Amino acid sequence: MMDARIDEIRKQLTAKGYKLTAQREETVKVLLENEDNHLTTEEIYMIVKNRVAEIGIATVYRTLELLKELHVIEKVNFGDGVYRFDLRRKNQPHFHHHLICTECGAVQEILEDWLLLLEKRVEREFGFTVEDHRLDFQGVCHSCKLNQKSEKCKAVS
Amino acid sequence: MMDARIDEIRKQLTAKGYKLTAQREETVKVLLENEDNHLTTEEIYMIVKNRVAEIGIATVYRTLELLKELHVIEKVNFGDGVYRFDLRRKNQPHFHHHLICTECGAVQEILEDWLLLLEKRVEREFGFTVEDHRLDFQGVCHSCKLNQKSEKCKAVS
DNA sequence: TTACTTAATTATAATTATTATCATTAAATA
DNA sequence: TATTTAATGATAATAATTATAATTAAGTAA
């Protein structure tokens, strides 16, 4: 399962003359295992270091930059001051959407592409050919709203 | 015109116990005059400094942070490594959209809100209450496409 | 296998962006 | 006018990222 994905990435790398070194492979594994997580460079470095020890943070920076160029991952910024990395999904030409909870910080993903119609409109109205997009919603997630309700109930009783 | 906008911002500041000092006013003016520009902190600092001289960069950082909290401006990141600041438009509860050209770097704004339907869908399908959103399209703008065509014509002739 | 060539790595220095500190100034208030 | 508080400027400290240079690993040709 994960091995297939790694092989695929290896092919993408070799196609461009790069190698999948042990350090790069471990970094990719961490990304795959944390597909839903949105880790920072520092976090990725710490996890890889705990496993193989033989890695410097500069290599992590370089590997992430490389994977970004290959469109394997995307560098995202949810406005909390740090960059995070997010795997692109298979067979999804465009980047997925996010629901960012301003209460608890949770980030949920919408993998379905909701922007096809709007992209046609952009082409029609602005003569702009869309290659990719970024759509994030900020707001209050379901579970935070439930918690707020139960807080209110406590206050009333 | 601009004065009205500044007065409005002054009121927003005083309502929260802040003052519109000379430094803050100049910073706001620069933002208003560059409504379509997306300046970085450094750029804003240089412009203000050339006018009043009496400002330190720390004050610019502080002022921009303050204006962000008041929802006067938004801190944006188009993926080129620097943060930029973008004025929120009047009577627009949600942030406007961007068309970012990957060829020439031009950033065009869509001031109309195209996401109302999708936000209802987010509420319905995920129980997530949207407070704000961020929508950017990356691609090739109209004028870059025209240029590419004329390049081809030259090559053929 | 051995020598050679190149890519990739590590450790660390340098750079850049941002934030924190603190003495000073300006403004508001009593 | 004296007092209090907010805001500023200069600069130190911190954090994130990039650049550098020596070393290692891997691939290739003789």
Side-chain angles (χ1 to χ4, degrees):
Chain A
M1 189 66 209
M2 200 168 89
D3 290 351
R5 194 74 203 280
I6 292 174
D7 270 341
E8 210 176 318
I9 292 166
R10 174 182 285 117
K11 275 173 203 155
Q12 282 184 268
L13 282 163
T14 50
K16 296 222 169 189
Y18 300 113
K19 301 165 197 168
L20 185 68
T21 62
Q23 291 91 337
R24 286 177 182 164
E25 187 167 345
E26 278 306 319
T27 305
V28 167
K29 273 187 191 166
V30 169
L31 288 166
L32 290 172
E33 289 164 11
N34 291 278
E35 198 158 19
D36 305 318
N37 265 20
H38 308 97
L39 302 176
T40 64
T41 308
E42 194 72 27
E43 286 166 349
I44 294 164
Y45 168 63
M46 294 309 282
I47 297 171
V48 176
K49 200 179 174 62
N50 277 339
R51 290 198 197 162
V52 296
E54 284 301 304
I55 195 164
I57 195 161
T59 300
V60 178
Y61 273 102
R62 277 183 300 238
T63 301
L64 293 172
E65 185 61 34
L66 190 57
L67 293 172
K68 200 187 83 177
E69 272 159 34
L70 295 174
H71 291 271
V72 171
I73 57 173
E74 195 65 23
K75 194 174 185 177
V76 296
N77 191 292
F78 295 135
D80 59 348
V82 279
Y83 287 107
R84 297 169 179 282
F85 292 89
D86 201 357
L87 269 182
R88 279 178 170 275
R89 304 311 158 119
K90 283 197 58 173
N91 309 317
Q92 289 279 142
H94 291 175
F95 197 50
H96 55 261
H97 320 315
H98 293 104
L99 303 179
I100 303 155
C101 181
T102 51
E103 301 281 327
C104 67
V107 177
Q108 187 169 8
E109 304 194 331
I110 302 176
L111 298 181
E112 199 182 338
D113 191 341
W114 287 9
L115 291 173
L116 297 172
L117 279 175
L118 290 185
E119 286 174 5
K120 281 188 190 147
R121 194 170 162 190
V122 166
E123 178 77 56
R124 201 167 56 236
E125 291 186 20
F126 294 89
F128 184 98
T129 304
V130 175
E131 292 169 342
D132 202 359
H133 57 234
R134 202 61 76 83
L135 173 60
D136 298 338
F137 293 101
Q138 291 91 38
V140 186
C141 73
H142 189 59
S143 68
C144 279
K145 282 194 284 181
L146 289 179
N147 289 344
Q148 282 169 5
K149 267 188 204 158
S150 65
E151 291 295 320
K152 277 186 200 164
C153 287
K154 275 185 208 161
V156 168
S157 64
Chain B
M1 189 67 206
M2 201 169 88
D3 290 352
R5 194 74 204 279
I6 293 174
D7 269 343
E8 209 176 316
I9 292 167
R10 174 183 285 116
K11 275 174 202 155
Q12 282 183 268
L13 281 163
T14 49
K16 296 222 171 188
Y18 300 112
K19 301 164 198 169
L20 185 67
T21 62
Q23 291 91 337
R24 285 177 183 167
E25 187 167 343
E26 279 305 320
T27 305
V28 167
K29 274 186 190 165
V30 169
L31 288 166
L32 289 173
E33 289 164 11
N34 291 278
E35 198 158 19
D36 305 319
N37 267 19
H38 309 97
L39 302 176
T40 64
T41 308
E42 195 71 26
E43 287 166 349
I44 294 164
Y45 168 66
M46 294 310 281
I47 298 172
V48 176
K49 198 178 177 65
N50 278 339
R51 290 197 197 163
V52 297
E54 284 300 304
I55 195 164
I57 196 162
T59 301
V60 178
Y61 273 102
R62 278 183 298 233
T63 301
L64 293 172
E65 184 62 33
L66 191 56
L67 293 172
K68 201 187 82 174
E69 272 162 33
L70 295 174
H71 291 272
V72 171
I73 57 175
E74 195 67 21
K75 194 175 186 177
V76 296
N77 191 292
F78 295 134
D80 58 348
V82 282
Y83 286 106
R84 298 168 179 282
F85 292 89
D86 201 359
L87 270 180
R88 279 178 169 274
R89 305 308 157 120
K90 284 196 57 172
N91 309 318
Q92 289 279 141
H94 290 176
F95 198 49
H96 54 261
H97 320 316
H98 293 103
L99 302 180
I100 304 155
C101 181
T102 51
E103 300 280 328
C104 68
V107 178
Q108 186 168 11
E109 304 194 331
I110 302 176
L111 299 180
E112 198 183 339
D113 191 340
W114 287 9
L115 291 174
L116 298 171
L117 279 175
L118 289 186
E119 286 174 4
K120 280 188 191 146
R121 193 169 162 191
V122 166
E123 178 78 57
R124 202 168 56 237
E125 291 186 20
F126 293 89
F128 184 98
T129 303
V130 175
E131 292 168 344
D132 202 357
H133 58 233
R134 203 60 75 81
L135 173 60
D136 298 338
F137 293 101
Q138 290 91 39
V140 185
C141 74
H142 188 59
S143 68
C144 279
K145 280 194 285 182
L146 288 179
N147 289 344
Q148 281 169 6
K149 266 186 204 157
S150 65
E151 290 296 320
K152 276 185 202 164
C153 288
K154 274 184 210 163
V156 169
S157 63

